[in-house]
Amino acid sequence: MAFDLDNLRVFLAAVDHGSFSAAARALGRVPSAVSMAIANLEAELDLQLFDRQGREPRPTAHAAVLLPQARLLVEQLQRLNGHALELNRGLETSLTIALVPELLAAAPWSEALRRLALDYPLLKVEVLTAPQADALAMLQSGRADLALVYERYGRQTDEAFEEVAEERLVAVVAPGHPLCERMGREAIRDEDLLAERQVLIAGRDTEYVDKRIAIARLQWRTDNPAAALALVKAGLGWAWLPSGLVRELLEHGDLVEIPTANFTNVLRFFVDIIWNNQRPPGLAGQRFIALMEALRDDEKNARSSSGHG
């Protein structure tokens, strides 16, 4: 085989630095070693890669054709070697994140993953979406390495967490719902919402429901925010839904924010990354957590500079 990592580097150095002597200095070798390596490569390929008639050797048309693939191969080998080194230092073979689907458009998890991919381009990443109880069950069972969920009261003794974002849930209803007819005549109170059907986003295989959200006597449940939104838009109930999910619908009048008289119609929740201390995050998990923290701090600083709390 003519090409290997060493002569690929020599070839690229000779092209990039414009002479064998400059390439030798860049590689920490003597010029004769670079010249000999190029000559041996040309002999193996039976191709002239450099025109030596001028003062300095110049790449031939054949060299120009081979150059893009040569660069790609070197980059891939460098990535492979770097990934192997990181595995030796404690990098996970893969990273699985369980994500509450209401947070898909809220917490900056995708930007954190974009930056993580720059650090570890060969890392295998899996993002799973599941209601909160199911995401936490994935973490406990080991199916997920990290869980991105809403804050909750109490936690397992083997869990650790970091607060990384804040999300707003808004009480909304369809314009044709009976609650909307009453809004024009009287203030909506908590007992009014208790009496109306509520649409909840909840887990598939558990009776766990966040009591801060689940307040109505009659509840319809789904494990998907899009399904919850469709039920509310159809006038089948009211719901607490993420502000990012309903913002445009409220602006266009497809949904109505319920004005409440004796309690707030907006709930603020912190967003946490949770992991199991018995299976602490490796390098990628630690880096993802750090990136989420940095993005949180950037958001706080931006709000502070703009005068918003």
Side-chain angles (χ1 to χ4, degrees), residues 31-301:
S32 60
V34 171
S35 180
M36 183 176 294
I38 295 294
N40 289 338
L41 180 60
E42 290 175 323
E44 286 282 340
L45 295 172
D46 195 21
L47 288 173
Q48 184 179 0
L49 299 177
F50 290 89
D51 183 350
R52 296 167 175 79
Q53 293 181 0
R55 182 176 178 180
E56 299 291 353
R58 301 184 61 181
T60 64
H62 292 143
V65 170
L66 296 172
L67 188 59
Q69 190 65 26
R71 292 195 190 282
L72 180 61
L73 284 172
V74 170
E75 289 174 3
Q76 290 175 333
L77 284 169
Q78 288 174 338
R79 285 184 179 182
L80 183 61
N81 288 331
H83 194 69
L85 180 60
E86 294 296 348
L87 288 172
N88 180 262
R89 292 174 175 171
L91 179 67
E92 306 92 320
T93 57
S94 64
L95 179 66
T96 298
I97 302 170
L99 173 70
V100 175
E102 297 97 302
L103 300 176
L104 284 171
W109 59 274
S110 58
E111 173 59 19
L113 282 181
R114 186 190 70 80
R115 299 184 187 184
L116 183 69
L118 296 176
D119 295 333
Y120 305 116
L122 298 184
L123 176 70
K124 178 182 177 182
V125 173
E126 184 179 25
V127 178
L128 305 175
T129 59
Q132 175 127 340
D134 297 345
L136 292 168
M138 288 182 187
L139 183 69
Q140 283 297 316
S141 69
R143 179 63 182 89
D145 303 301
L146 300 171
L148 189 64
V149 298
Y150 288 117
E151 62 172 305
R152 60 203 169 103
Y153 294 127
R155 61 183 175 89
Q156 300 291 333
T157 57
D158 57 358
E159 289 178 355
F161 75 97
E162 184 68 36
E163 177 192 306
V164 293
E166 184 179 336
E167 172 65 312
R168 298 167 65 251
L169 300 182
V170 183
V172 295
V173 71
H177 192 278
L179 274 174
C180 281
E181 299 177 7
R182 296 172 58 183
M183 287 179 198
R185 304 191 308 268
E186 58 188 88
I188 302 299
R189 301 179 61 85
D190 61 331
E191 56 264 29
D192 299 318
L193 294 183
L194 288 172
E196 296 290 343
R197 183 189 298 119
Q198 181 181 4
V199 177
L200 285 172
I201 304 169
R204 303 178 184 93
D205 304 317
T206 178
E207 291 301 316
Y208 168 80
V209 176
D210 193 326
K211 299 302 182 182
R212 294 169 294 180
I213 298 175
I215 64 173
R217 299 186 185 93
L218 176 59
Q219 299 168 3
W220 281 17
R221 294 171 59 175
T222 176
D223 62 1
N224 188 294
L229 180 60
L231 292 172
V232 174
K233 287 177 65 178
L236 292 169
W238 68 273
W240 296 102
L241 293 177
S243 60
L245 183 65
V246 300
R247 184 178 297 110
E248 290 188 6
L249 294 170
L250 290 172
E251 291 175 354
H252 296 152
D254 299 314
L255 289 179
V256 177
E257 188 171 335
I258 301 173
T260 53
N262 63 335
F263 69 103
T264 179
N265 61 353
V266 177
L267 299 178
R268 296 181 183 271
F269 286 88
F270 290 111
V271 177
D272 295 335
I273 291 181
I274 300 178
W275 62 92
N276 191 315
N277 278 325
Q278 296 180 3
R279 297 184 302 275
L283 293 182
Q286 295 170 29
R287 180 61 176 153
F288 180 77
I289 294 168
L291 288 168
M292 290 292 292
E293 291 173 343
L295 290 166
R296 172 203 62 197
D297 294 341
D298 290 345
E299 175 66 18
K300 286 183 178 179
N301 291 334

